[in-house]
Amino acid sequence: MDLIQTLNSQYMKPELPELHVGDTVRVTVRVKEGSRERNQAFEGTIIAKKHGGINETITVRRISYNVGCEKVFPVHSPTIVSIETVRRGKVRRAKLYYLRNRVGKKAKVKERI
């Protein structure tokens, strides 16, 4: 069991911000198109956190052009350049799947001070 933990800790990112469900985050991802590489930002609200350790993932949702878009990001993936917390959210649920049915101002999450 110690062998697995040492291997996992070797690949985990040490400098991650504190991520909570309801926070608005900006995830910068390294995208490869042919022979070129570029960084692309995806900003949205965290609606779910799953697993833990090296397998931890966050589901980020945003609305662009009146269409909801969700992406699941493995937090410790080498393709993720950075994760920045834009604003903190005040929620009372562990999963915010109810935001999928809401549009406009109803889809906002209150800010934690």
Side-chain angles (χ1 to χ4, degrees), residues 13-30:
K13 292 184 179 178
E15 69 289 333
L16 278 178
E18 210 171 300
L19 301 172
H20 297 287
V21 174
D23 292 354
T24 302
V25 293
R26 183 178 299 119
V27 182
T28 308
V29 184
R30 187 175 296 115

Side-chain angles (χ1 to χ4, degrees), residues 7 14 21-22 41 52 60 62-64 76 88 91 95 98-99 103:
L7 284 172
V21 174
V60 182
R62 79 165 176 203
I63 297 175
S64 58
H76 298 287
R88 311 277 310 267
V91 293
K95 306 281 191 273
Y98 65 88
L99 290 179
V103 184

Side-chain angles (χ1 to χ4, degrees), residues 65-108:
Y65 301 106
N66 294 327
V67 178
C69 178
E70 291 183 10
K71 285 189 178 182
V72 180
F73 294 104
V75 174
H76 298 287
S77 172
T79 58
I80 291 187
V81 178
S82 67
I83 300 175
E84 308 164 30
T85 304
V86 178
R87 72 191 272 267
R88 311 277 310 267
K90 181 181 178 184
V91 293
R92 297 175 66 176
R93 299 277 180 272
K95 306 281 191 273
L96 303 181
Y97 295 142
Y98 65 88
L99 290 179
R100 292 173 175 165
N101 302 326
R102 299 191 180 182
V103 184
K105 288 186 179 179
K106 291 182 181 178
K108 284 179 107 178

